[in-house]
Amino acid sequence: MTRSRPALELIDVHAAYGRIEVLRGVSLMVPKGAVFALLGPNGAGKTTTLRVASGALKPRSGCLHVGGNHVNGANVSALAKAGVCTVPEGRAIFPNLTVEDNLWVMTHTRGQRPRDVRERAYAAFPVLGERRRQLAGTLSGGEQRMLSLARALATDPDLLLLDEISMGLAPRIVGQLYESVAELAAQGISLLIVEQFARMALSVADVAAVMTHGRIQTMGEPGEIDAALSDAYLGGAA
């Protein structure tokens, strides 16, 4: 039986900002339809890994594969057309547009019908349907994060890259967001999740890795990485 190609693969990737090397030989693989949690403290290189995976930062060396295809040098636009979508840290929305208009803007990426986009977004996040005529900038922090995820869904992604979706939110709201992440995975979307606060991400992950100082320290099923996770956070806020 033929094995399916991984949704994403980084092989011995080195990346830098100017002379400062941030990634030092990173290798990881996100299986198709899986949730991969990339964990570690601030400054570990997690967001830089996402930037390489999205095409926002070209690696100095190593290989980037998306869906089994070698895509070194592809930019963000090209990878978006290939099904890669990033939800960056913060709230990636247009605050002066309504919820519905925020969704409409995203329909041009892969030619989605606006009606289909709205139906999918409101099914995943019913509260957005209730707020559809409201300016996005007046939503609560959690609702804005939901809108960011809904906008990503509008691109009909094969691979979602999520950067610190829990940032600045109350634990109850974070729990709701991760319930939505689990539902997206159940739909067959592959996800690479970057998180500083690990436990919620591990609750939905199929595979997890701990990164420090630009290197993957350990990788495995969520229950296999506890010791490395404690070391990475110095026994603290994991």
Side-chain angles (χ1 to χ4, degrees):
M1 189 168 92
T2 303
R3 293 179 61 188
S4 61
R5 295 177 175 181
L8 174 71
E9 191 170 14
L10 277 67
I11 304 170
D12 195 25
V13 166
H14 292 251
Y17 299 106
R19 296 182 179 181
I20 301 173
E21 187 176 42
V22 179
L23 301 184
R24 303 177 175 92
V26 170
S27 296
L28 62 82
M29 182 182 71
V30 180
K32 187 174 178 60
V35 179
F36 189 114
L38 182 59
L39 312 171
N42 281 336
K46 306 184 304 296
T47 294
T48 300
T49 301
L50 285 195
R51 296 196 72 218
V52 169
S54 71
L57 179 65
K58 293 181 180 179
R60 283 190 169 175
S61 62
C63 295
L64 173 64
H65 296 165
V66 171
N69 298 310
H70 183 76
V71 294
N72 277 43
N75 61 22
V76 171
S77 178
L79 289 183
K81 291 176 181 177
V84 180
C85 184
T86 303
V87 178
E89 180 183 331
R91 292 155 196 168
I93 60 172
F94 293 104
N96 295 322
L97 296 182
T98 65
V99 168
E100 197 154 285
D101 286 343
N102 265 273
L103 296 173
W104 176 83
V105 167
M106 299 301 290
T107 61
H108 302 286
T109 304
R110 299 185 81 185
Q112 301 299 299
R113 294 194 309 172
R115 180 178 177 179
D116 294 341
V117 166
R118 291 194 300 270
E119 289 179 353
R120 188 176 187 184
Y122 301 151
F125 305 102
V127 69
L128 296 182
E130 298 169 10
R131 309 273 196 272
R132 66 181 68 194
R133 304 297 184 193
Q134 188 171 327
L135 291 180
T138 66
L139 299 174
S140 70
E143 290 166 352
Q144 290 184 27
R145 217 49 178 136
M146 290 176 190
L147 181 56
S148 296
L149 286 170
R151 280 166 48 82
L153 281 182
T155 69
D156 193 25
D158 298 313
L159 172 65
L160 270 180
L161 309 175
L162 306 184
D163 193 2
E164 303 279 9
I165 65 169
S166 66
M167 184 66 70
L169 299 178
R172 179 179 62 85
I173 302 301
V174 174
Q176 292 174 2
L177 287 174
Y178 270 99
E179 287 176 6
S180 299
V181 167
E183 291 171 3
L184 296 180
Q187 296 173 24
I189 298 173
S190 308
L191 295 106
L192 174 57
I193 302 174
V194 156
E195 268 290 0
Q196 180 181 358
F197 302 103
R199 296 303 174 191
M200 193 64 72
L202 287 175
S203 72
V204 301
D206 300 296
V207 186
V210 178
M211 171 177 270
T212 59
H213 307 297
R215 295 184 174 90
I216 301 290
Q217 301 299 330
T218 190
M219 190 183 313
E221 295 182 3
E224 298 173 343
I225 66 166
D226 276 346
L229 194 60
S230 297
D231 289 344
Y233 290 92
L234 301 177

